[in-house]
Amino acid sequence: MKVTGIELRRIAMPLVAPFRTSFGVEHDRDVLLVRAVTPDAEGWGECVAMTEPLYSSEYVDGAAEVLRRFLIPALPEDVDAYRVGRALEPFKGHRMAKAALETAILDAWLRTSGESFGRFLGAAADRVPCGVSVGIMDSVPELLDAVAGYIDEGYVRIKLKIEPGWDVEPVRAVRERFGDDLLLQVDANAAYTLVDAPHLARLDAFGLLLIEQPLANDDLVQHAQLAKRLTTPICLDESIESAEHAAAAITLGACSIVNIKPGRIGGYLEARRIHDLCRAHGIAVWCGGMLETGLGRAANVALAALPGFTLPGDTSGSRRYYATDITEPFVLEDGHLRVPTGPGLGVDPIPAVLDEVTVSTEWITL
Ligand code: OSB
Ligand code: MG
């Protein structure tokens, strides 16, 4: 397949409500979209890098720079979904930028052959159960209102963002109000250290599904030590950037669950590798999110339909994030999202909406 050019498009998407985590507050999602154009089709990739390098070392301006300067020029003349990764391999890191480019080309490639992401990846279900990630709030009553609203909408699992000073009490309050049957988990985004082990062990009383990324990104050994001191299962997010990291984490006993975020680990092919590896080792996985628009969401929902995704993902409906999505909105049906079945991502940006949110575009001829 010949790619004639790539468009880098920056869009600004206001969030329906500020999203606070242990690493910062987000009011707008600053998204870099990659559009790969071929004589027969065009494909989209959504870069999950955030404006500032607080969640990971990548950030949007850096991703745009590495794409235009190194990654796009390295694309082979005759490209397919598998060749992209190999061509980008010599460049260290920048997995978010690589994922966006590979996804755009994979989408164009699948649209050309008429195959959907779900079918290509090996989806085993036509809909996936959905969880929601609930940010840190100013007060417990405010949190309880937010959680009640999501439960009313049908979400089957609640994830609370935590940080020192906002952990045991909000978890206790949500458990007391909504009962022991609620599937509940927490995400610390690396806000603790091993010294906090006795404090984190207090969460064991609440029957959580998991605690996500309690310690720093590169603390695999410390996570293994923490795992011995908690009964709550440890799930890694930030620490897992590749199948090799997942293998190391499993061998060390650093986690018993993995949050697979395709946009963070270099794309959907690597995501499938991590899924296969974890499945073979009896490690449960679920699909994480980075507040994606409908484009990234479509691919995530397809991935989440693979058989090893045995826990509900952060694959929420469009309205949890945006008043107006750039695609037809993803709408929860009985707590589930349907896996798109059309060619490629199976969804398209709505031109008028896309234009409205576009901040800049840049065309790179190949
Ligand atoms: O740690 O999972 C995370 C959003 C941005 C950056 C990191 C994370 C998140 C979320 C939201 O938790 C997941 C989503 O609903 O997309
Ligand atoms: Mg996380």
Side-chain angles (χ1 to χ4, degrees), residues 116-119 121-129 301-309 336-341:
S116 69
F117 258 67
R119 195 181 165 88
L121 292 171
D126 46 26
R127 55 181 216 152
V128 299
V301 168
L303 180 74
L306 267 62
F309 284 78
H336 291 66
L337 286 183
R338 234 194 303 244
V339 179
T341 53

Side-chain angles (χ1 to χ4, degrees), residues 93-294:
H94 298 285
R95 295 176 199 269
M96 293 178 175
K98 289 175 177 175
L101 181 56
E102 184 186 87
T103 304
I105 289 170
L106 174 57
D107 185 29
W109 191 62
L110 291 174
R111 285 183 198 252
T112 305
S113 67
E115 192 175 30
S116 69
F117 258 67
R119 195 181 165 88
F120 169 76
L121 292 171
D126 46 26
R127 55 181 216 152
V128 299
C130 299
V132 59
S133 176
V134 186
I136 294 166
M137 310 248 159
D138 291 334
S139 70
V140 167
E142 198 186 327
L143 175 71
L144 293 177
D145 282 350
V147 171
Y150 291 130
I151 291 173
D152 285 347
E153 281 184 57
Y155 286 101
V156 304
R157 180 277 270 153
I158 299 291
K159 158 169 143 183
L160 303 182
K161 290 292 193 178
I162 59 167
E163 66 180 2
W166 181 266
D167 43 33
V168 176
E169 289 324 310
V171 168
R172 184 199 311 282
V174 169
R175 254 301 168 243
E176 277 175 4
R177 164 86 181 270
F178 301 102
D180 291 341
D181 290 342
L182 175 68
L183 299 183
L184 183 63
Q185 63 192 53
V186 293
D187 184 0
N189 287 112
Y192 298 87
T193 71
L194 207 44
V195 172
D196 300 309
H199 180 71
L200 292 174
R202 294 177 60 202
L203 292 171
D204 286 345
F206 303 104
L208 300 177
L209 281 173
L210 58 91
I211 177 168
E212 182 177 345
Q213 197 70 41
L215 312 179
N217 301 22
D218 48 7
D219 279 359
L220 278 193
V221 171
Q222 291 87 335
H223 277 106
Q225 289 174 329
L226 182 63
K228 296 203 189 92
R229 298 171 65 176
L230 304 183
T231 59
T232 307
I234 292 183
C235 168
L236 291 176
D237 173 357
E238 285 91 323
S239 290
I240 307 295
E241 293 188 358
S242 65
E244 288 77 9
H245 288 167
I250 294 168
T251 304
L252 277 170
C255 66
S256 49
I257 299 169
V258 172
N259 169 349
I260 302 184
K261 275 189 192 162
R264 162 169 59 59
I265 48 87
Y268 291 85
L269 298 179
E270 188 71 5
R272 185 168 59 184
R273 280 179 212 116
I274 297 176
H275 161 272
D276 294 349
L277 173 85
C278 289
R279 192 160 182 240
H281 285 272
I283 297 285
V285 302
W286 54 281
C287 183
M290 293 287 287
L291 316 175
E292 284 91 343
T293 71

